[in-house]
Amino acid sequence: MTDRYQKQRMKMVDLQLRGRGISDQRVLRAMEKIPRHAFVPDALREQAYNDNPLPIESQQTISQPYIVALMSSALELTGKERVLEIGTGSGYQTAILAELAERVFSIERIAALAASARRVLDALDYYNIAIRVGDGTLGWREEAPFSGIMVTAGAPGAPRFLLEQLVVGGRLVIPVGSHSSQILLRLTRLSDDPADIKTEEFCGCRFVDLIGEQGWKNG
Ligand code: SAH
């Protein structure tokens, strides 16, 4: 895709992602392709490729590009998967997942955000994304199971319903910790018992709260 931000986008991928060890070629290609500036408020377009998160509507944030790349790589997608995302927000991460998997299901609790993400994703011709407004900590039972689940808001713990909706061998990537700081975790489901999981720690991070029945109780 050529647009006036293409140079900045290539530089972002080179310096912020390749330069910091992101090596999944499909993730790098998706992030070279997707116009991140289309997902940020108009006034912040010039900053869309900077090395930091940015505010979006409703006091939420679009994650830092490196964190998007790290979380996307952690799911180890090949293109055949059904993936669930919790926290659609701007829809940027949703678009990345749509490039990496076969179908993406995304849940957002704030209706206004879900609607604007839908508009941007439609304008970019993504047809393999379903978005629903609701509490993502409960998962999306009718569409389960999923090969990968990504939570893009900070949680006090891994929601049990999400582990139950993973296939055996499936991965849940989720920031877990306090309101002010979390550790990015990858939980791999090992057997029919959803409590039988392998846990890997990636890095420290800071996300907005995951608010819901299996998250923080109040916004
Ligand atoms: N991936 C998004 C991140 C947005 S911030 C992006 O890069 O733009 C996290 C989002 O999670 C917010 O939009 C917030 O409203 C949403 N969220 C928080 N708790 C949620 C829940 N229980 N279910 C669904 N969405 C939730």
Side-chain angles (χ1 to χ4, degrees), residues 60-63 85-90 93 107-110 113 134-137 152-153 208-211:
Q60 304 303 314
T61 53
I62 175 171
S63 305
E85 177 193 37
I86 313 302
T88 316
S90 66
Q93 173 75 74
I107 308 176
E108 170 56 54
R109 64 181 280 274
I110 300 175
L113 283 174
D135 178 5
T137 66
T152 65
V208 298
D209 285 348
L210 179 74
I211 297 165

Side-chain angles (χ1 to χ4, degrees), residues 14-204:
D14 247 356
L15 300 181
Q16 300 175 35
L17 309 186
R18 279 196 197 88
R20 286 196 196 121
I22 300 292
S23 59
D24 184 321
Q25 295 305 316
R26 299 178 69 246
V27 171
L28 294 169
R29 256 186 276 127
M31 292 187 69
E32 281 174 353
K33 174 177 168 187
I34 295 170
R36 183 171 161 92
H37 59 272
F39 294 88
V40 306
D42 287 351
L44 299 178
R45 286 201 164 188
E46 298 302 324
Q47 298 174 49
Y49 298 95
N50 291 2
D51 191 11
N52 47 257
L54 289 172
I56 55 173
E57 280 173 74
S58 312
Q59 284 85 51
Q60 304 303 314
T61 53
I62 175 171
S63 305
Q64 180 191 16
Y66 174 71
I67 292 290
V68 171
L70 186 66
M71 293 176 83
S72 303
S73 304
L75 286 180
E76 296 182 15
L77 299 168
T78 65
K80 303 242 183 295
E81 300 84 356
R82 292 161 61 82
V83 169
L84 176 66
E85 177 193 37
I86 313 302
T88 316
S90 66
Y92 177 67
Q93 173 75 74
T94 323
I96 306 282
L97 292 172
E99 293 284 334
L100 300 174
E102 187 165 294
R103 287 206 69 187
V104 182
F105 299 86
S106 185
I107 308 176
E108 170 56 54
R109 64 181 280 274
I110 300 175
L113 283 174
S116 50
R118 180 82 268 171
R119 268 195 303 279
V120 177
L121 293 166
D122 282 348
L124 293 170
D125 289 337
Y126 282 102
Y127 300 117
N128 59 343
I129 297 172
I131 298 178
R132 170 165 120 171
V133 177
D135 178 5
T137 66
L138 306 176
W140 192 325
R141 205 178 295 275
E142 309 80 60
E143 298 294 349
F146 304 97
S147 305
I149 301 180
M150 182 189 290
V151 179
T152 65
R160 180 171 55 86
F161 292 121
L162 298 184
L163 291 167
E164 286 172 4
Q165 291 176 29
L166 273 181
V167 301
V168 173
R171 302 176 180 91
L172 167 63
V173 174
I174 181 170
V176 171
S178 68
H179 291 286
S180 56
S181 78
Q182 305 91 34
I183 295 177
L184 188 60
L185 299 181
R186 175 167 65 186
L187 310 179
T188 305
R189 181 165 172 178
L190 299 176
S191 74
D192 280 343
D193 174 4
D196 186 12
I197 50 172
K198 173 173 86 175
T199 303
E200 295 162 281
E201 293 190 3
F202 281 73
C203 61

